Structure formats: structure tokens, C-alpha cells
Amino acid sequence: MSFNSFEYLLFLPAVFLLYWFVFKRRDAQNVLIVVASYIFYGAWDWRCLLLIALTSLCSYASGAWMQKFSQTDVRRKILSLSNILLNLGILCYFKYFNFFGESFTALLNALGIQADWVTFNIILPVGISFYTFQALSYTIDVYYGKIRPTNDVVAFLAYISFFPQLVAGPIERATNLLPQFLAERHFDYASAVDGMRRILWGLFKKMVVADNCAMAVNAIFSDYAQCDSATLLLGAVLFAFQIYGDFSGYSDIAIGSAKLLGIRLMQNFNTPYFSRDIAEFWRRWHISLTTWFRDYIYIPLGGSRCGQWKTLRNTFIIFLVSGLWHGANMTFVCWGLYNALLFSVLMLLGVNRRNVNMVAQGRVLPNIKELLQMAGTFLLVVVGWVIFRADNISIAFEYLHRMLSDFSFTMPIVGRKALLFVLLLVIVEWLQRGKEHGLQFPDNAFFRCRGVRWATYYLLFMMTLLMAGRETDFIYFQF
């Protein structure tokens, strides 16, 4: 069941009404969330429910058993490692089994050793990377004593399977989300209204911006060998906004849907294309994943406290793992290494923490320096997105070579409508860059007028209804 489907349009209000008017007690609400989440997830493939149930129950049991042993007891470590290896084993089997098998066979053949690899038709369960990382965070946090293991199995099942963020995040921590399922929830009208605004903004970003960009991007990338450099550049730029509108739009709908149920999820995007360097970009893009890698891999490896070269090593490990997390393809690995190189340059120069505040703070427009920094950073990000989007590395390099060497200044025919929607998105997000989302209206007399607010809602709703591109799945469902 996808957020941009008619089924979800019926599903969410039904859950909302049952949640607040029928299942009024916390325990009953948690049962409803688990049932609704399993219906939501099972709509893709009921067999995937077995995997998420296995992950949930094993993680719950390991946490319950760990509390029986002291922090220094070796049995506590064995339980933690066993559950981590089980979850990682399931993830790696479904996501990487054929990739590594085929890579190993290719290596043997290159060495003159004839080998054949039998591939299996393994279906990647939607969202497996997201809920697996959520389960891992619980196990690790319990082991280190950051959170007490829960004895409420229903609340834990709700934590792992919470349908708004189940298949594409944000990747929540047990320290933030689980306590919300253990506490009583009370309906908050203002929060629910803001949740509805955020859902509308997310649908606009997905169905109007991302889906219209997708039609032009697919046409350009499928025929890149016949396109001039201007068209290829347009295709790369439009993909940057396709993946942003698609993924951040999903996050907006997820956060808004959770707000309707009295649950607060973490912010996952913070106007990343207004970043002034790559380090700032990664502090603003897919925040739940980058902070997960920081807290559970980068810092345990020593972080930035272990000397310059080990810090660089840790940085490359993080970006390599990030690339592999996105999928079993060398394009993702190279994309991760490309970003690691860009990030490492800033670290060597000691300027990776230079831009931590909002750009043009307190001003309507950026100055020339900020504008050039944002343009340069965006171009570097776009180059990375070409590698990410391409079917293989050779296509990525050929695409980039033609885009950056065969200069032409003709106006591309495709993508003109998508560019208008991108421009509208950029203007709104620039004006709202200090807000959580584009429809979080400023508190002034103009927007306090109910007519202005409802006119804005109506305009966005009609644009979403009438100008939506061809319906496509969310990009991050495949990860």
C-alpha cells in the first residue's frame, strides 16, 4: 500500500477514527497500530510479514534476556551479537546474496578459474533495510544501557512495524519512538492540523514535482547517447529534484500521518540543496540514516578522536557502508566513495564543520559568496546523483563525459513543465527554510487569515490532483 494510492486515502482516515474514537486506551491503540501496520505491509506481499515478525520477536526476546545479566556478563554480549548477526544475516541474504556470488564468480573467471554461479529469484522485501536498522538500534541501545528493555511486546511490535515510517523511514531510534508507545496519547488538534498540512506538502512534492521530473529523467537516461550536453545536464538536475521530492515527500507524509496518531517522528530532511559544502549537505540529507551510521559505526570506530588518518579511514568506511546500504550495485559503491572523497577534502582542510547554521540567516536573499557555494555544492551533488541513477558504472562515466565535455546551449524540449514545478518548490522551501516543512506558515497577519490558508491548501490540492505526473512507486522502496 503506497502513500500516493487510493487505498491509503481510505486506510489512514479509517485508522485515525478507530484510533481516537474506538480504541481509546493506550494498549488498545497499540494493538490497532500493530494490526494496521501488518495490513499495510502485507498489502505488498503477505510472506514478508513472516520476516518482520521474526525480526521483531527475536529483537524483543534478546532485549528481555539481556536485562537478566549484568553489563560485564559475557552472556549479555553473546545475546546482543547473536541478534545483530541474525538480523544482518537476513538483510544480507535478501539484499546481497546474488551480488556477492556473481562478483566472486567474475573474479574467479578473471583469474582463469572457470566457475558458474546459480542465481536465485530472491525477492527483496520492501523496507527491510529500514526496519532492520530500527531493530538493531534497539538491541545496541539496550546492550549499552541507553534504554531499558521493554516487557510490553505489543508496544515493541508497534515500534518496529509503525506503518507511517515502516518502508522508507525515517529510521527511528528506540530511545525516541518506543517510549511514545509506552505512554498515554491524547489528541492534539494543532498537531493533527499540522500533520494534515505536512501530508499535503509531501503529496505535492511526490506527485507533482518528483513524478513529473521522473518522466523527463527516464526519457533522457534511456536515450542519453543521443542527447546533447544541455539535455544531459537537465536530466541530471531533474533527477536530483526527483529523488529529493520523492524521498523527502515520503518523509513528510510519514511524519504527518504519525502526527495524526499523536506520534512524533524525527526530521529526515532539512533543505539539503541550500547547503554550502558537502559536509553540510550530509547533515541535511536523510538525517535519520546519516546519524544512525554516525552513532553506531563511526563513533564506535573512534570517530574523529583517533588521529587524522584513522578519521579518514572511518569516513570512507561510513560512506562505503552507506553506498552498500542502498543496494547491491557497483554504482552505489562508487557513489559512496565519491562522496567520501569530497567529504575527506573538507576534513583535511579542517572546514567540515564550518557551515552549521542556516544559510542567509535573518536575510531574504543569500550574498554572492553563499550563492556560489550553494551552486558549487549542488553541482557536485548532481554529479554524484548521475552515478547513483545510472544502470552501471560505464553508463555513468559515459553520461558524465558527454554532459561535461560536449558543451551545447540548446534549450531541451523535455522537462519544461517539471522545471516550473522545481522552481516553485525551490522558492517555497527557500522562504520556509527555517521551518519544518513548506506549509508551516509564519505567524503574521497575512497567514493568520483563514481565507489565505485555505486558498493555499486548495491550490496545492488541485495542482496535486490535476498536474500529477504518471504514478510511480517511491524510489526508496527498493532500498
Side-chain angles (χ1 to χ4, degrees):
M1 190 184 304
S2 184
F3 283 165
N4 57 336
S5 67
F6 181 72
E7 290 81 3
Y8 191 74
L9 183 64
L10 300 177
F11 174 81
L12 182 61
V15 173
F16 174 83
L17 293 173
L18 289 171
Y19 186 85
W20 291 116
F21 296 102
V22 179
F23 298 85
K24 297 181 180 181
R25 294 177 56 251
R26 184 206 68 184
D27 293 342
Q29 288 175 335
N30 287 344
V31 170
L32 174 64
I33 285 176
V34 173
V35 172
S37 298
Y38 275 60
I39 292 173
F40 176 86
Y41 193 58
W44 274 288
D45 191 329
W46 66 267
R47 293 171 295 180
C48 297
L49 294 175
L50 301 176
L51 281 178
I52 193 172
L54 176 65
T55 294
S56 301
L57 293 174
C58 288
S59 298
Y60 170 80
S62 68
W65 288 336
M66 270 192 281
Q67 69 177 333
K68 298 179 180 180
F69 308 113
S70 67
Q71 193 73 38
T72 57
D73 196 315
V74 68
R75 288 172 292 183
R76 184 183 179 93
K77 180 177 289 187
I78 291 172
L79 281 169
S80 174
L81 284 175
S82 298
N83 188 60
I84 290 171
L85 291 175
L86 172 65
N87 285 317
L88 287 178
I90 293 172
L91 176 64
C92 290
Y93 172 76
F94 282 97
K95 200 161 186 176
Y96 307 110
F97 183 77
N98 279 334
F99 172 71
F100 286 113
E102 291 167 359
S103 298
F104 183 66
T105 301
L107 176 62
L108 291 178
N109 290 337
L111 295 174
I113 303 173
Q114 293 300 315
D116 292 321
W117 176 254
V118 179
T119 59
F120 298 93
N121 187 24
I122 299 174
I123 300 173
L124 179 65
V126 64
I128 188 172
S129 299
F130 291 89
Y131 70 72
T132 298
F133 271 36
Q134 207 152 292
L136 290 175
S137 79
Y138 173 80
T139 301
I140 296 169
D141 286 347
V142 167
Y143 174 76
Y144 283 110
K146 295 180 180 179
I147 187 174
R148 290 182 58 82
T150 180
N151 295 319
D152 190 331
V153 64
V154 176
F156 186 80
L157 291 173
Y159 159 70
I160 296 293
S161 66
F162 188 42
F163 70 87
Q165 46 86 228
L166 172 59
V167 296
I171 302 171
E172 279 293 343
R173 311 294 181 82
T175 50
N176 173 53
L177 186 55
L178 183 55
Q180 296 186 64
F181 291 119
L182 297 172
E184 293 291 336
R185 275 92 68 186
H186 303 283
F187 181 73
D188 185 318
Y189 177 78
S191 179
V193 169
D194 189 65
M196 290 294 293
R197 291 174 183 151
R198 192 148 193 176
I199 290 171
L200 177 59
W201 183 239
L203 287 171
F204 170 79
K205 287 202 284 188
K206 162 59 178 171
M207 298 175 68
V208 178
V209 178
D211 286 354
N212 276 289
C213 285
M215 292 189 291
V217 169
N218 292 340
I220 293 171
F221 271 79
S222 63
D223 195 32
Y224 72 95
Q226 308 302 320
C227 296
D228 57 31
S229 60
T231 303
L232 295 176
L233 178 60
L234 175 64
V237 169
L238 289 181
F239 177 70
F241 283 98
Q242 178 196 349
I243 195 170
Y244 173 66
D246 191 285
F247 195 15
S248 70
Y250 183 96
S251 295
D252 284 331
I253 300 169
I255 294 169
S257 298
K259 275 195 166 188
L260 290 175
L261 304 177
I263 301 294
R264 187 166 185 87
L265 302 179
M266 71 178 295
Q267 187 81 353
N268 209 19
F269 291 85
N270 186 11
T271 57
Y273 290 152
F274 300 145
S275 301
R276 289 152 290 181
D277 58 48
I278 288 295
E280 184 183 10
F281 172 81
W282 282 108
R283 288 192 292 271
R284 296 178 178 276
W285 178 275
H286 201 175
I287 300 168
S288 65
L289 180 66
T290 53
T291 54
W292 199 101
F293 285 139
R294 179 198 66 197
D295 294 343
Y296 295 114
I297 300 179
Y298 183 74
I299 291 177
L301 286 173
S304 55
R305 307 181 308 276
C306 53
Q308 188 177 73
W309 293 111
K310 286 188 176 180
T311 298
L312 289 175
R313 176 205 65 185
N314 297 341
T315 300
F316 271 85
I317 290 173
I318 287 299
F319 279 104
L320 179 61
V321 172
S322 177
L324 284 171
W325 179 89
H326 283 85
N329 194 318
M330 285 304 298
T331 55
F332 298 132
V333 174
C334 290
W335 171 76
L337 293 176
Y338 168 78
N339 280 283
L341 286 171
L342 297 178
F343 198 99
S344 297
V345 171
L346 297 178
M347 294 189 71
L348 289 172
L349 296 174
V351 295
N352 56 299
R353 299 290 300 178
R354 178 177 54 188
N355 296 309
V356 294
N357 61 320
M358 181 63 66
V359 62
Q361 191 110 28
R363 290 178 279 120
V364 175
L365 296 175
N367 57 38
I368 296 298
K369 179 182 178 182
E370 291 169 333
L371 191 61
L372 291 175
Q373 287 174 330
M374 287 190 292
T377 302
F378 180 70
L379 179 59
L380 292 174
V381 170
V382 164
V383 170
W385 286 138
V386 171
I387 301 172
F388 187 96
R389 171 62 174 76
D391 292 332
N392 57 59
I393 290 299
S394 62
I395 290 177
F397 287 159
E398 185 178 351
Y399 190 107
L400 289 171
H401 174 74
R402 291 178 58 83
M403 183 180 81
L404 298 173
S405 63
D406 183 21
F407 294 107
S408 65
F409 299 96
T410 58
M411 181 61 188
I413 299 174
V414 298
R416 294 182 182 182
K417 183 172 73 170
L419 273 178
L420 292 176
F421 297 136
V422 166
L423 180 60
L424 176 60
L425 172 67
V426 170
I427 291 172
V428 173
E429 295 222 326
W430 176 261
L431 295 175
Q432 295 285 83
R433 64 191 184 281
K435 305 291 185 179
E436 290 184 356
H437 59 89
L439 291 183
Q440 192 175 40
F441 298 123
D443 187 20
N444 57 43
F446 181 75
F447 284 105
R448 277 198 295 268
C449 175
R450 180 175 296 181
V452 171
R453 296 198 306 271
W454 278 96
T456 305
Y457 304 150
Y458 179 78
L459 177 62
L460 280 179
F461 177 76
M462 293 307 296
M463 288 182 68
T464 303
L465 194 64
L466 300 176
M467 300 183 184
R470 189 179 302 115
E471 182 179 327
T472 59
D473 285 335
F474 287 87
I475 293 175
Y476 268 69
F477 281 7
Q478 63 185 298
F479 305 136

